[in-house]
Amino acid sequence: MNSKLATLITVFFFWGFLAASNGIFIPFCKSHFELSQFESQLIDSAFYGAYGIGSLILLFYSQISGVDLLNKIGYKKAIVFGLLISVIGAAAMIPAVNAGSFPLILGALFIIALGFSLQQTAAQPFVVALGDAATGSHRLNLAGGLNSFGTTIGPILVSFALFGSANNADVSKVEIGSINILYIILIAVFGIVAAFLWFADLPNVQGEESKTEGLGALKYPQLVLGMIAIFIYVGVEVAIQSNMGELLKQPAYGSLDTASISPYISLYWGSLMIGRWTGAIGVFNPSKQMKNILTVVVPIIAFGVVLGVNAFKGTDVSNLYIYIICVAVLIAGFFVGQDKPVQTLLTFSLLGVIAMLIGLFTTGDVSLFAFLSGGLCCSIMWPCIFSLATAGLGKYTGQGSSLLIMMIFGGAIIPPLQGTLADMPAIGIHASYIVAVLCFAYLAFFAWKVKGILQAQGIDFEKAVEGGH
């Protein structure tokens, strides 16, 4: 891994860190402002909605000016500007909290996420551009792995910042001043990272041309199908865990209380880290023999990290050991995928369908761990979908990236869709996971379809990846 890539992917870590702080901020707002569960979830709506609106702003600018903004200013500057927008949002959060205005808090969070939208729109193609395009998915896996590590350790760091310990059992007792300290820290972090990237020795990569002709990226079928795939992928990734708490409250799953549910939610997000760490092995260009060894060892180590983080918080993790079986299936999946984005995406999409069906037709621990393994299946999908959807776009790569980032709002649509089904007496929470089955089925279709599309355009993506190792 070169130093330029190492410098760039630091920003991915902080995205994960903030995601962790949101996990604490939501119950704080619910308690402090006496919100309903629906009202507290508006925090997620504001966050995911910003991605869609931010991407639309970039597209409208492109249409009005005839210039792709990312191509004009370059990916590096776009990331820095995005960080500065997030600084403004974090600064606005402090008076919003002190004023006791929940709408203002949502507005401040929206601004923070708006900055994230610009950062991610630029950072994804930037990571791909820092090396051979054929191995771009590996670099995105590495960046995603660092993001997941930030999400994994973020709760501990934030808990120490707010409570002085790793356990945050009673969020309702958090003082307003503690929330202010959290966002002051985030202001400093965003500002430091922006300055670091601005002065770092990174090439200011730009698109092939500045001028664009309408929404030219949409003429590429791989992008259109990829947009749907991103929408569905983000949606199913969020929906599986968002509805997990209600599932675990059912008698067939032990009627668990909130305190007992948290380790399973942690394991789900940790599963994303396990898969992304494994998918990032190719970045270091090991020998074939060493790579095979690491493909077995790395996910086991990552699983150990997830268990260790939970054990550090005082959780009994002995009942999670059996999940190693799911990790073993992940390892087998990587060997079947052979580092080819189409084959990898197809393999894990089909595994996702199988896992969700097992979860639907069983109950208890078998069903629970089958649903949780959806995190393992989702872990490497983003880089595969992103690299395949933007392959061959040329001067429209920036525009295509913006369209793909916009589709992150699937995380605000599919979870409540599943929740609606769960509220229907004839369906219920368990059967509502049919939504996940259908989502993984589409992702398998996309993997199958896009291969033929790219080959028809003279882009043999699978051969290129194979030749790169």
Side-chain angles (χ1 to χ4, degrees):
M1 180 176 65
N2 60 54
S3 59
K4 293 181 175 60
L5 177 61
T7 299
L8 174 60
I9 63 175
T10 56
V11 74
F12 284 75
F13 173 85
F14 292 107
W15 294 340
F17 181 87
L18 185 64
S21 71
N22 280 343
I24 294 177
F25 196 56
I26 289 175
F28 164 76
C29 285
K30 182 178 181 181
S31 173
H32 184 78
F33 297 109
E34 299 181 349
L35 304 174
S36 67
Q37 182 65 17
F38 169 77
E39 288 170 332
S40 71
Q41 294 304 303
L42 291 177
I43 290 178
D44 273 339
S45 297
F47 187 83
Y48 286 109
Y51 282 92
I53 293 177
S55 297
L56 285 174
I57 291 174
L58 289 177
L59 290 175
F60 285 146
Y61 175 88
S62 173
Q63 296 307 297
I64 295 172
S65 66
V67 175
D68 187 307
L69 182 62
L70 292 185
N71 285 350
K72 181 179 180 180
I73 67 176
Y75 299 141
K76 173 182 173 179
K77 290 180 181 178
I79 295 172
V80 172
F81 293 157
L83 283 164
L84 294 179
I85 291 174
S86 294
V87 166
I88 294 172
M93 184 66 76
I94 297 174
V97 171
N98 290 339
S101 172
F102 186 59
L104 288 180
I105 287 175
L106 293 178
L109 185 63
F110 179 87
I111 296 173
I112 294 174
L114 200 63
F116 276 22
S117 174
L118 180 56
Q119 293 169 49
Q120 291 204 32
T121 302
Q124 305 291 337
F126 199 179
V127 169
V128 174
L130 290 179
D132 186 351
T135 56
S137 62
H138 298 310
R139 291 190 293 280
L140 286 174
N141 265 322
L142 178 63
L146 191 59
N147 173 270
S148 294
F149 183 61
T151 303
T152 301
I153 70 171
I156 292 179
L157 298 179
V158 172
S159 294
F160 271 113
L162 297 183
F163 312 105
S165 71
N167 293 304
N168 53 322
D170 193 354
V171 179
S172 64
K173 294 183 179 180
V174 179
E175 298 293 335
I176 287 287
S178 297
I179 296 297
N180 288 344
I181 291 174
L182 171 61
Y183 279 90
I184 289 172
I185 292 174
L186 290 175
I187 291 170
V189 167
F190 292 149
I192 291 172
V193 175
F196 178 65
L197 290 177
W198 182 265
F199 292 106
D201 182 24
L202 282 174
N204 195 33
V205 179
Q206 295 174 278
E208 295 179 11
E209 299 178 23
S210 293
K211 292 293 182 181
T212 61
E213 302 173 1
L215 293 178
L218 291 177
K219 68 183 179 181
Y220 294 91
Q222 64 265 38
L223 177 67
V224 176
L225 293 175
M227 289 170 62
I228 300 173
I230 288 292
F231 178 93
I232 288 176
Y233 151 71
V234 175
V236 71
E237 179 184 273
V238 176
I240 290 174
Q241 66 86 32
S242 291
N243 291 280
M244 186 65 65
E246 183 63 25
L247 180 73
L248 291 173
K249 293 178 182 178
Q250 306 307 308
Y253 292 86
S255 302
L256 302 182
D257 57 24
T258 301
S260 300
I261 288 171
S262 58
Y264 296 102
I265 302 300
S266 173
L267 178 60
Y268 177 80
W269 290 116
S271 295
L272 295 170
M273 184 185 76
I274 294 170
R276 288 168 180 170
W277 280 18
T278 308
I281 292 172
V283 173
F284 301 95
N285 198 29
S287 66
K288 183 176 181 180
Q289 181 179 7
M290 178 56 68
K291 185 174 183 180
N292 289 338
I293 294 174
L294 291 175
T295 299
V296 175
V297 173
V298 169
I300 295 175
I301 292 176
F303 180 47
V305 170
V306 175
L307 295 179
V309 167
N310 280 279
F312 181 77
K313 296 174 66 176
T315 302
D316 180 6
V317 297
S318 59
N319 59 327
L320 304 181
Y321 293 160
I322 191 65
Y323 194 66
I324 191 65
I325 295 175
C326 298
V327 175
V329 174
L330 170 89
I331 293 171
F334 272 101
F335 281 110
V336 173
Q338 299 179 23
D339 284 335
K340 300 177 180 181
V342 168
Q343 194 163 316
T344 298
L345 180 58
L346 180 60
T347 298
F348 283 98
S349 296
L350 292 176
L351 285 175
V353 171
I354 294 171
M356 296 304 104
L357 288 174
I358 291 174
L360 280 172
F361 289 103
T362 60
T363 57
D365 286 346
V366 173
S367 176
L368 171 59
F369 287 119
F371 285 141
L372 287 173
S373 70
L376 296 171
C377 297
C378 287
S379 63
I380 45 74
M381 288 184 173
W382 174 276
C384 291
I385 297 170
F386 191 93
S387 58
L388 291 169
T390 57
L393 266 59
K395 68 178 181 179
Y396 296 110
T397 299
Q399 187 182 94
S401 175
S402 179
L403 288 166
L404 290 171
I405 296 299
M406 178 176 66
M407 302 310 287
I408 288 177
F409 80 89
I413 303 298
I414 292 180
L417 172 62
Q418 181 179 344
T420 299
L421 294 179
D423 287 335
M424 298 179 180
I427 298 178
I429 183 64
H430 186 191
S432 73
Y433 274 84
I434 187 65
V435 171
V437 175
L438 298 176
C439 288
F440 282 121
Y442 173 81
L443 294 172
F445 164 77
F446 169 73
W448 169 78
K449 185 69 174 178
V450 76
K451 180 177 181 179
I453 291 173
L454 294 179
Q455 287 180 336
Q457 297 175 13
I459 305 172
D460 194 344
F461 218 78
E462 300 289 44
K463 182 178 180 180
V465 172
E466 183 178 358
H469 291 277

